[in-house]
Amino acid sequence: MSESFDAVVIGAGFAGLYMLHRLRQQKLSVRVIEAGHDVGGTWYWNRYPGARCDVESMQYSYSFDEDLQQDWHWSERYAGQPEILRYIGHVADRFDLRRDIAFSTRVIGAEYDEPAARWAIRTDKGEVLSARFCIMATGALSAARVPDIPGLSDFGGQTYHTADWPQAGVDFNGLRVGVIGTGSSAIQLIPVVAEQAATLTVFQRTPNFSLPARNEPLAPDYEQHWKANYPALRQRARQEMRSGTIYDYSTRTARDTSDDERADEFEARWSKGGANFMHAFKDLLLDKASNDTAADFVRAKIRTTVHDPAVADALCPTDYPIGTKRICLDTNYFETFNRSNVTLVNLRTAPLEAITPTGLRAGGQEHTLDAIVFATGFDALTGSLLAVDIKGKGGLALRDKWAEGPRNYLGLMVHGFPNLFTITGPGSPSVLSNVVHSIEQHVDWLANCIAYLRGNAVAAIEPQQEAEDRWVEHVREVAHTTLYPSAASWYMGANIPGKPRVFLPYIGGTNTYRRICDDVAANHYKGFTLARTGS
Ligand code: FAD
Ligand code: NAP
C-alpha cells in the first residue's frame, strides 16, 4: 500500500519549503522529499570556502512574511553560505516545516496513472507515494557535474566538488591543491584556498569576467531603509524589475554616450561593486559594440591588477561578450594571481590530458597535487529534472520528450504530464533573476492554480500542445534578440557534452513573465486543458 498525499514536493531548498508552506495553508496533505540530510538546497550542498550569494542579502530572501523579513538580521551586504543556511533553517523552524519532510531520501521515478489522475512517486528507499500533484522543486543548479577526465579514479589524493562539500570542512593547510574551473564557484573559492594551501594551481579552460563584489558589513542605515520600506520595495522589484532585483537600470545606451561619460559611469559602478555594473547602459547585452566597451573596461582592470602581463593576458576573456556567460562577483580574485604560491595553467594552450595517481597532466607537464577541487559546475536547469525517471500519459518519458531540448508551457508544465509542475525550470526566468524572487512567483502562481482546481472540481491540468509550442518558440525568439546565444555557456547547455544547444531560461524579464502568467490565470488558465474526471 502506498502512502497517499494531495501533493508531493521534491526538494527542500528555498522553493520546496515555500511550496510546503503555501500548500499547508490550503490544508492539503503534503510530503516533501529531500536527498540531503536537512533543509537548504544550494546552501546545504555548496559549503566551499568563500561561498556567498551575489544578490544583496536584503533582496536575496523571502518576501512572503513581513514579520520574518523584519525580524531577520543579515550581517553582510552579500550573505555567506553559513548565514544563508542559518536563515533557511530559521524559516523551517519558524513555520514548523521539517515535520513534513523526508530527508536523506532521493526520488528516482514518477509515473502518471491516467485513469486515477495521480502520480506514483518512487524513492531510493523502495517507497512509492501516491499524489494528485507532483511538484519538482529540484533546483536549477543542483545536479553537480564532474567531467569525465581519464585517470580520475587512480588519483591518490582527495577530490572535492564545490557542490558536494564535506560538512566538516576541509583543511588545505600545507597541501598542494589544484582547482579545475574558473566559474563563479571557483572565483569565490580560489582567494580563500590560496591563503591556506602550500601551493594552488588553477586549471583554467575559459577565463571569466568578474566584477568586485565589495562585500562589507551591512550598514545599519541601509538595513533600516529596507526594513522601513520593505513592502513597497518588494512590490517595485515585482512590478518594475527585469531580474526581480532592484538595480540602478540605466535608460541610456552605451552607443549614444561619449567615451568620457561612459568611462565615468563604468568607473562609478565598478567602485560601488556588484552586478549593477552590467546595468550601466541598457544595450550592453543587445549590441556587440556597446558590449565591447564594458568588456574592454573590465579587461583593462584585469591588466592593471595582475602584475605578470602573460598571466593577465590569460585571465582576460576575449571570445564571448561580457555577461553572456553568468557574470561573476569576487573578492580579490584577480589579485590572488599575484601571490607567489598561485599558478595559472591555461588549458587552452596546455590541454588537460589526464589525472594521474599523483596529480594532473596538462600540455605534457605533470602537476603534483595532494587535493583536487572540481569547480566544474552543473547540468543546469534540466539536469535534476531528467535525473528522475518521469513518465507521463501513455508511458511517455520526459527524457524522450526533451531529447532535443526542453519543451513546456510557461516553464511550468509539460504537455503529456498533467499535474506535474516545475519550479524555476527551463523556459522560466529562473537563473537570469534573483532566484528567490522567481521561486516566490512560481510558488504563488502554483498555489493559486491548485486552489482554483480544487475549487472547481478539476482533477487534472495539462498544457495544450499549441500553447506549449508557442511558448517554446517565444523563449527561443526572445533569447535570439540578445547576445546571450553567442556564448558557449551553461545557459545554452554547452557545458555538457551531447546536451542540446538551446537557450534554457526565459529572458523576457521577470516583470513581463509575471504579467504573462497572471494573465493566463485570470483567463481561466488559458492554454491549459482542465479535466474534471481524470484526464
Ligand atoms: P535548490 O536550492 O537547488 O534545492 C533543490 C533541492 O532538491 C536540493 O536540496 C536537492 O538535494 C533536492 N533534490 C534534487 N533532486 C532530488 C531528488 N530526485 N530527490 C530528492 N531531492 C532532490 N541565485 C541567486 O539568485 N543569487 C545568488 O547569489 C545565487 N548564488 C548561488 C551560489 C551557488 C554556489 C549556487 C550553486 C547557486 C546560486 N544561486 C543563486 C542559485 C540558487 O540555486 C537559487 O538561488 C536557490 O537557492 C535555488 O533554490 P531551489 O529550492 O529552487 O533549489
Ligand atoms: P560554471 O560556471 O559552469 O563553471 C564551471 C567551470 O569549470 C568553468 O570554468 C568550466 O570551463 C570549467 N570546466 C568544466 N568542465 C571542465 C573540463 N572538463 N576541463 C576543464 N575545465 C572545465 O559552474 P559554477 O562556477 O559552479 O557556477 C555555476 C552557477 O552557479 C553560476 O554561474 C551561478 O549562477 C551560480 N553560482 C553563483 C555564485 C554566486 O556568486 N552567488 C557562486 C557560485 C555559483 P568552461 O567555461 O570552459 O566550460
Side-chain angles (χ1 to χ4, degrees):
M1 242 320 252
S2 59
E3 265 195 284
S4 199
F5 300 92
D6 292 319
V8 163
V9 177
I10 307 169
F14 271 108
L17 294 180
Y18 182 43
M19 193 73 246
L20 169 61
H21 178 64
R22 286 298 314 260
L23 294 179
R24 262 198 200 159
Q25 288 175 329
Q26 294 180 35
K27 309 271 183 272
L28 264 66
S29 61
V30 186
R31 171 64 55 83
V32 178
I33 302 176
E34 167 55 56
H37 302 323
D38 199 357
V39 298
T42 289
W43 306 103
Y44 169 87
W45 296 105
N46 292 262
R47 296 165 189 251
Y48 61 84
R52 67 177 62 250
C53 66
D54 60 7
V55 169
E56 289 190 358
S57 316
M58 296 310 289
Q59 303 198 58
Y60 189 73
S61 50
Y62 289 121
S63 71
F64 70 84
D65 187 278
E66 181 59 13
D67 290 342
L68 169 66
Q69 62 184 4
Q70 290 298 333
D71 291 351
W72 186 262
H73 165 68
W74 294 107
S75 66
E76 292 177 278
R77 178 178 179 189
Y78 301 101
Q81 173 273 331
E83 191 170 23
I84 303 175
L85 189 59
R86 274 201 305 282
Y87 168 77
I88 299 176
H90 167 77
V91 172
D93 290 341
R94 189 171 179 125
F95 298 97
D96 188 19
L97 298 176
R98 283 192 182 83
R99 68 182 154 88
D100 286 324
I101 307 175
F103 290 109
S104 311
T105 307
R106 186 169 284 281
V107 170
I108 53 172
E111 203 161 327
Y112 189 62
D113 174 349
E114 202 172 340
R118 292 187 74 82
W119 283 91
I121 294 144
R122 278 181 294 121
T123 75
D124 61 356
K125 300 259 171 74
E127 304 146 320
V128 182
L129 281 62
S130 166
R132 170 77 63 206
F133 303 107
C134 179
I135 301 171
M136 305 297 288
T138 44
L141 291 164
S142 71
R145 178 185 166 262
V146 175
D148 194 11
I149 301 174
L152 174 57
S153 57
D154 303 333
F155 183 58
Q158 296 297 314
T159 60
Y160 306 96
H161 191 290
T162 49
D164 191 12
W165 204 258
Q167 300 225 3
V170 181
D171 182 2
F172 287 115
N173 259 301
L175 300 186
R176 293 161 295 184
V177 182
V179 174
I180 302 178
T182 48
S184 299
S185 301
I187 279 176
Q188 289 185 330
L189 167 134
I190 284 165
V192 186
V193 173
E195 289 189 0
Q196 260 191 24
T199 62
L200 176 64
T201 310
V202 177
F203 298 92
Q204 169 191 278
R205 188 164 65 184
T206 310
N208 250 304
F209 288 102
S210 188
L211 311 169
R214 308 222 188 275
N215 187 36
E216 58 190 2
L218 190 65
D221 55 343
Y222 189 66
E223 180 179 12
Q224 178 48 34
H225 162 73
W226 271 88
K227 288 195 170 172
N229 299 288
Y230 244 142
L233 290 169
R234 297 288 203 181
Q235 190 59 8
R236 202 176 140 219
R238 286 183 202 112
Q239 304 292 339
E240 296 171 31
M241 298 295 142
R242 293 181 47 76
S243 65
T245 317
I246 297 180
Y247 286 118
D248 180 11
Y249 289 96
S250 171
T251 52
R252 295 191 294 174
T253 61
R255 203 174 250 284
D256 299 326
T257 305
S258 73
D259 290 354
D260 285 351
E261 270 185 279
R262 208 188 306 113
D264 287 349
E265 187 64 35
F266 284 141
E267 191 64 53
R269 290 178 185 245
W270 180 270
S271 311
K272 282 191 190 157
N276 204 32
F277 178 90
M278 288 306 298
H279 305 295
F281 299 99
K282 65 177 182 180
D283 58 346
L284 290 184
L285 288 161
L286 302 174
D287 179 325
K288 178 67 169 59
S290 297
N291 186 285
D292 285 343
T293 63
D296 286 344
F297 180 90
V298 175
R299 282 189 286 259
K301 288 291 186 192
I302 296 172
R303 291 186 202 285
T304 53
T305 306
V306 178
H307 300 160
D308 181 333
V311 176
D313 210 43
L315 286 167
C316 281
T318 52
D319 59 358
Y320 59 93
I322 182 170
T324 55
K325 277 166 96 88
R326 170 68 151 68
I327 197 81
C328 304
L329 296 197
D330 73 89
T331 302
N332 297 330
Y333 174 64
F334 294 113
E335 291 82 346
T336 298
F337 291 92
N338 295 329
R339 294 177 63 100
S340 59
N341 68 336
V342 175
T343 307
L344 180 71
V345 175
N346 183 351
L347 298 177
R348 291 262 171 96
T349 50
L352 204 169
E353 289 158 6
I355 292 178
T356 65
T358 54
L360 194 151
R361 196 171 62 248
Q365 193 188 334
E366 181 85 22
H367 300 270
T368 306
L369 302 168
D370 302 307
I372 298 176
V373 175
F374 289 91
T376 45
F378 302 87
D379 184 352
L381 287 126
T382 52
S384 63
L385 297 171
L386 296 181
V388 179
D389 184 16
I390 300 176
K391 296 221 167 79
K393 281 159 80 173
L396 175 64
L398 190 63
R399 287 172 189 158
D400 291 338
K401 167 145 184 167
W402 284 9
E404 306 297 321
R407 304 191 66 80
N408 60 19
Y409 180 37
L410 301 176
L412 277 163
M413 293 198 77
V414 185
H415 175 70
F417 298 78
N419 292 358
L420 177 86
F421 298 97
T422 56
I423 302 179
T424 68
S428 77
S430 180
V431 289
L432 294 174
S433 66
N434 170 351
V435 180
V436 180
H437 174 98
S438 286
I439 284 170
E440 287 195 321
Q441 185 260 334
H442 263 186
V443 169
D444 288 339
W445 190 94
L446 235 150
N448 293 339
C449 171
I450 288 174
Y452 178 93
L453 302 180
R454 295 176 75 236
N456 290 278
V458 175
I461 180 170
E462 179 189 354
Q464 292 156 9
Q465 184 69 65
E466 314 79 71
E468 179 171 285
D469 291 346
R470 271 200 309 276
W471 184 253
V472 171
E473 180 51 22
H474 177 58
V475 171
R476 194 197 65 78
E477 219 170 60
V478 186
H480 285 266
T481 62
T482 74
L483 298 173
Y484 277 86
S486 60
S489 67
W490 58 256
Y491 294 135
M492 291 293 293
N495 63 328
I496 306 291
K499 190 167 172 171
R501 295 281 178 110
V502 175
F503 191 76
L504 294 164
Y506 175 59
I507 203 169
T510 51
N511 49 355
T512 305
Y513 176 77
R514 177 184 296 273
R515 278 195 288 277
I516 296 170
C517 292
D518 288 351
D519 181 60
V520 165
N523 285 286
H524 306 286
Y525 295 91
K526 189 173 60 181
F528 288 98
T529 299
L530 308 185
R532 283 182 197 281
T533 49
S535 49

